[in-house]
Amino acid sequence: GRVGDRDDDHHDHDDDLKVRMSMQRLHTITRSTLDLAKGMFERIDRNQDGVISKAEFASVLGKIHDESRRSAEKDAKKLMTAIHQQGLTHYRTCSESINFNDFLNAIALSKIAAQEEPNNKNNANALEVKKFVEKAAWYYGIAGFVAKFYRPHKYEEYTKNYRCWPPPLVLPCVSIFILVVYLYYLNQDPSCGSSGDTIGSCQVVYDSLWSYRYDAAYTNEWWRFVTYIFLHAGVTHLVSNLFLQIVIGVPLEMVHGPWRPFLLYILGGIAGSTCVSVFDERTNTVGASAACYALMGAHVANIFNYYSIMPFAWVRIIFFSFIFLVDVTVSLYNKYGNDNASSTSYTSHIGGLLLGVVLGFVVLDELDRQVSDTFKMVKNCIAITLTFSWFTFALIWNLVNPQPT
């Protein structure tokens, strides 16, 4: 309903400031809006009669702008028209006074206009009110409160986007499938129950039709570039990868849904095998390490994407960077500096991580936040171009220079 006019038979000022408004605008009135409107209304309404007259507005505007009486009255008329057109009594454009409810509604709508559509020409009246409120705030010594009042709203914190329903199922199901496959090969070769860190252990997995072999392109067995993800050659290898993809992948799935992280998981695995085919040519590979590192890289990209709304962003970046550097350092040492040669493929780890970082900027860039559209477009174009270029190069490399059996 609309606000009732002031009862001229009762002059209690608190009664004059009772808030009434249309139901459509009720959601716009917050405690801070009410406090600001009431505090400023009482300062401008010098005779405390429950309305602000044209003369009272002119008096304030004259002091704010340090202008002549005639100019102040002209500005006061313009401001009162803007307030009436924002308030409930917009049809009374010739009214010589402003009641509290119109003043309150005008301030509420000025905040909405400033935060959501500051460049919309239809919000000219609301922005005129905002301009007056900001200048009056300096005059009345409440500039800090008003600056905070009009400050753009903070986007929803990243952690508030976690959803437990529908539950994350894709990566947990992939983990169960990997475990079942591992148990199948363990039943065939008990050596798969060892740590699996040295060359020669769990050979049945490396001889499988689904493992990645260095001659996969030569024999046209292209599926091996993907299916090797689901094979593991030792219990340590298995447990570490399952741990990573659950701890890192499931949180991504809870925020971004099942298919975006799964796409990065699969493409990360392919990036790992293609890196091996180009830089570590005569190496056979199994395991989901590259796919897991793609999820880790995606998490890093996610931190940069949502840095403004991500709590402890730098701590997360340092944490994931530390894990990756330690893993690569250990892998390099075991491969080249240790007498007991290791079967760990650091090349695939790097490939998966880089794919996750680069493509994660695009695939996981879906939540609302304050960012330039131009920056977003350029970033996405670069990421897609790099990803497409690498896979194209790797395909051509394997077609032109396949490793013979």
Side-chain angles (χ1 to χ4, degrees), residues 23-136:
M23 291 301 294
Q24 291 89 337
R25 295 185 180 180
L26 185 60
H27 72 282
T28 67
I29 306 301
T30 63
R31 182 74 243 180
S32 61
T33 307
L34 187 59
D35 289 343
L36 175 60
K38 185 176 180 180
M40 191 160 288
F41 191 92
E42 289 176 338
R43 286 175 170 86
I44 301 172
D45 181 19
R46 292 181 302 169
N47 60 8
Q48 302 293 292
D49 63 349
V51 294
I52 302 176
S53 66
K54 181 180 176 180
E56 288 172 327
F57 267 128
S59 175
V60 173
L61 288 167
K63 294 174 182 177
I64 293 174
H65 297 150
D66 192 22
E67 59 186 3
S68 66
R69 180 177 178 181
R70 174 176 289 185
S71 297
E73 288 179 349
K74 184 178 179 180
D75 290 342
K77 183 178 181 180
K78 181 180 177 181
L79 176 63
M80 291 176 71
T81 300
I83 293 175
H84 278 310
Q85 291 178 352
Q86 293 295 299
L88 296 172
T89 55
H90 58 274
Y91 52 85
R92 299 193 319 194
T93 55
C94 296
S95 175
E96 293 295 317
S97 64
I98 297 293
N99 65 33
F100 176 70
N101 298 280
D102 281 346
F103 191 73
L104 172 63
N105 275 269
I107 288 181
L109 294 178
S110 72
K111 180 178 182 178
I112 295 173
Q115 292 184 344
E116 298 181 1
E117 299 179 272
N119 298 319
N120 190 334
K121 293 182 179 179
N122 295 327
N123 290 329
N125 288 323
L127 296 177
E128 186 70 26
V129 173
K130 173 178 177 288
K131 184 179 178 181
F132 165 75
V133 171
E134 288 177 329
K135 290 185 176 180

Side-chain angles (χ1 to χ4, degrees), residues 18 86 97 128 148 155 170 181 243 258 279 344 365 378 380:
K18 288 181 179 178
Q86 293 295 299
S97 64
E128 186 70 26
K148 184 178 179 181
Y155 288 89
V170 172
V181 171
F243 174 79
F279 300 110
T344 303
D365 189 5
V378 171
N380 291 350

Side-chain angles (χ1 to χ4, degrees), residues 172-293:
C173 286
V174 171
S175 300
I176 293 172
F177 176 73
I178 288 174
L179 179 60
V180 170
V181 171
Y182 172 76
L183 293 175
Y184 169 78
Y185 284 105
L186 177 63
N187 185 56
Q188 294 187 10
D189 184 356
S191 69
C192 294
S194 65
S195 66
D197 288 335
T198 57
I199 294 175
S201 63
C202 200
Q203 193 61 39
V204 65
V205 171
Y206 289 99
D207 293 338
S208 167
L209 181 64
W210 312 110
S211 66
Y212 169 77
R213 292 181 57 84
Y214 67 87
D215 60 353
Y218 184 80
T219 57
N220 285 321
E221 295 173 335
W222 297 95
W223 66 84
R224 291 180 181 271
F225 283 85
V226 181
T227 56
Y228 82 100
I229 296 172
F230 307 106
L231 305 179
H232 287 78
V235 65
T236 304
H237 191 206
L238 173 76
V239 171
S240 60
N241 283 343
L242 293 185
F243 174 79
L244 277 177
Q245 68 187 42
I246 292 297
V247 171
I248 298 175
V250 168
L252 289 176
E253 192 172 330
M254 291 174 69
V255 175
H256 301 282
W259 304 117
R260 293 172 187 266
F262 183 66
L263 174 64
L264 293 171
Y265 182 83
I266 295 298
L267 291 180
I270 299 174
S273 58
T274 53
C275 275
V276 171
S277 71
V278 173
F279 300 110
D280 205 4
E281 294 174 323
R282 299 190 68 81
T283 300
N284 299 330
T285 303
V286 295
S289 297
C292 292
Y293 272 87

